[in-house]
Amino acid sequence: MRARTAALLSLAGAATAIAGMSARGGLAARRGLETATGEAGHRIGIMGRIDLGETMVDGQTVKTRVVYRHLASRFGADAIRTVDTLDYRHHPLRVAKDAARCLAVCDDVVVLLSDNGRRFFFPVLALAASTRGTRVFHNLIGGRLADDIERDPSGRLVRYLNSFQVNWVESRALVARLAELGVRNAAYLPNFKDLDPLAARLEAPEDRPARLCVFSRVVPGKGIENAVRAVAALNEAAGTDGAVASLDIYGPVDEAYEEEFRALIEAVPHARYMGSVKPEKGVETIRDYSALLFPTEFWGEGIPGTIVDAMGAGLPVIASHWAYYSEMLADGVTGLGYDFERPEELWPTIEAFLALPREEVEAMRRAIHERAEAYTADAVFERIAEALTAQGLASRILLQI
């Protein structure tokens, strides 16, 4: 409690410093401070769960770390100031101090925060943007921002968002919905990864039983139990003909789910937990499977990194129709989907996929791989870099393209 109180005081101090510097000339005053301290040039901050020690491989952390690495590569590591929110609940004072230092010297700040992080940092970021001209580039994690706005009758969240330079979101539908809710500066920017175009496998495997995989956080909301039960039901229905499918599950297991998950795996033949995989090994890990299962029960999923991995691998996806399914995938083209409200349809959907002729499966593998280019770092990060180097009106125009 004392640490959190100190952290809040530190952020309050940062806000006071921001206001004070604004009164002395805003950006010009900050640049004067840089000269006095021997620091000059374009300083860029990045705020989010960076985890350079690579202890975490969830989608939020991987996305933030990829953005950081590309910023450091493009602008030079010395020009980047990090505010790593990893384990911020246990180290709030450290995070608050890093944030204060970042806002003291940075022209621009790239922000990738969870719901809790947004509540903690948005007030100070909005103050920095409105009083001293700090350009805040908010890169949304997930796809639930519109729901958060609807739950905020005060209107503060919309005001914070509109004070930023841009709010990049992963879905075109979400851009439109945010505009309806009063957010004037939302722009489409998809999730992206470093993908090797030569790493895909475009020929269909002939393994029997067919090898299926799940590649995500292992939490109930990702439909893990549904996937395990569906494969078990398929094999049970096959009877004496033998198993028709096996399931390998990759990803970090949520601590609160671990006991239940382990019991589930142990009770079901032909289902295995394979541990976590380094993000850069994702494509080569999953490319030899027959299909990726994505039976998410989170309606507001954004643009999942695991689907981007499947694109890079040329791996068909069998998924529930979450809110933004159609922006990434197409039934019968990139794999098969089923009604989000009817999770029991996963079983027959897998069955239908396994019955497809080889030629049709290979057409799906080619089709999903063709979509990978739009989610590569080369395609997406260039827009971030252009926005950071543009000035004034030119910057605003670029952000909306």
Side-chain angles (χ1 to χ4, degrees), residues 82-373:
T82 61
V83 182
D84 192 348
T85 61
L86 176 68
D87 203 20
Y88 73 93
R89 287 186 179 88
H90 295 100
H91 304 284
L93 186 57
R94 183 263 299 169
V95 175
K97 285 182 176 179
D98 287 347
R101 293 189 186 105
C102 174
L103 292 173
V105 300
C106 289
D107 302 276
D108 301 327
V109 182
V110 180
V111 177
L112 301 97
L113 295 169
S114 65
D115 296 349
N116 289 331
R118 292 196 290 268
R119 283 193 290 270
F120 194 66
F121 287 109
F122 270 21
V124 172
L125 289 167
L127 183 61
S130 61
T131 63
R132 68 192 292 227
T134 302
R135 299 194 304 175
V136 178
F137 298 81
H138 173 221
N139 196 336
L140 180 67
I141 298 292
R144 297 179 302 192
L145 184 58
D147 296 334
D148 293 340
I149 290 172
E150 290 180 337
R151 288 192 294 267
D152 175 34
S154 72
R156 280 192 295 269
L157 182 52
V158 169
R159 289 195 293 274
Y160 294 155
L161 294 168
N162 282 333
S163 73
F164 300 160
Q165 187 78 2
V166 68
N167 294 283
W168 282 313
V169 302
E170 298 175 345
S171 158
R172 292 183 176 88
L174 184 54
V175 171
R177 189 176 171 201
L178 290 172
E180 292 172 356
L181 293 170
V183 179
R184 300 187 299 269
N185 54 357
Y188 172 68
L189 188 78
N191 198 354
F192 69 97
K193 290 195 171 189
D194 295 307
L195 298 174
D196 179 356
L198 301 179
R201 172 175 175 169
L202 301 182
E203 68 275 10
E206 298 181 356
D207 304 301
R208 289 294 178 269
R211 298 173 63 226
L212 309 174
C213 66
V214 170
F215 196 69
S216 70
R217 287 186 300 128
V218 181
V219 296
K222 291 293 187 179
I224 302 299
E225 182 170 355
N226 191 21
V228 173
R229 299 295 185 197
V231 170
L234 277 169
N235 289 333
E236 185 176 344
T240 57
D241 291 338
V244 297
S246 65
L247 178 64
D248 290 342
I249 299 172
Y250 297 87
V253 182
D254 185 81
E255 186 177 350
Y257 186 50
E258 184 154 7
E259 185 175 345
E260 181 181 347
F261 172 67
R262 297 289 182 183
L264 175 68
I265 291 295
E266 291 171 5
V268 177
H270 305 291
R272 301 183 297 176
Y273 176 58
M274 306 296 287
S276 295
V277 175
K278 286 184 175 294
E280 61 270 19
K281 300 291 186 182
V283 168
E284 67 180 69
T285 298
I286 65 176
R287 65 186 174 192
D288 293 329
Y289 285 89
S290 294
L292 173 79
L293 304 187
F294 191 69
T296 183
E297 296 170 9
F298 292 124
W299 173 250
E301 289 272 5
I303 301 300
T306 186
I307 306 296
V308 178
D309 283 322
M311 291 175 175
L315 184 64
V317 176
I318 299 171
S320 64
H321 289 156
W322 83 95
Y324 308 118
Y325 173 93
S326 62
E327 292 197 31
M328 299 190 81
L329 304 171
D331 285 353
V333 178
T334 59
L336 297 177
Y338 62 92
D339 188 341
F340 182 85
E341 299 294 338
R342 301 188 64 185
E344 68 275 10
E345 290 186 359
L346 175 60
W347 169 13
T349 305
I350 298 173
E351 189 174 39
F353 176 83
L354 296 180
L356 292 173
R358 179 183 176 87
E359 296 77 18
E360 192 167 340
V361 172
E362 291 188 340
M364 287 179 173
R365 296 183 79 98
R366 291 191 298 272
I368 195 166
H369 184 56
E370 287 169 1
R371 299 188 177 206
E373 174 60 29

Side-chain angles (χ1 to χ4, degrees), residues 32-90:
L33 173 63
E34 290 173 357
T35 301
T37 58
E39 297 182 352
H42 187 191
R43 301 285 182 186
I44 301 170
I46 178 169
M47 185 177 294
R49 197 159 66 196
I50 304 167
D51 182 30
L52 291 178
E54 299 189 16
T55 62
M56 304 186 73
V57 293
D58 61 282
Q60 174 187 344
T61 309
V62 170
K63 177 178 178 177
T64 307
R65 194 158 55 229
V66 169
V67 171
Y68 164 74
R69 286 177 174 164
H70 281 273
L71 287 173
S73 176
R74 173 61 63 88
F75 298 101
D78 290 343
I80 310 301
R81 294 290 179 267
T82 61
V83 182
D84 192 348
T85 61
L86 176 68
D87 203 20
Y88 73 93
R89 287 186 179 88
H90 295 100

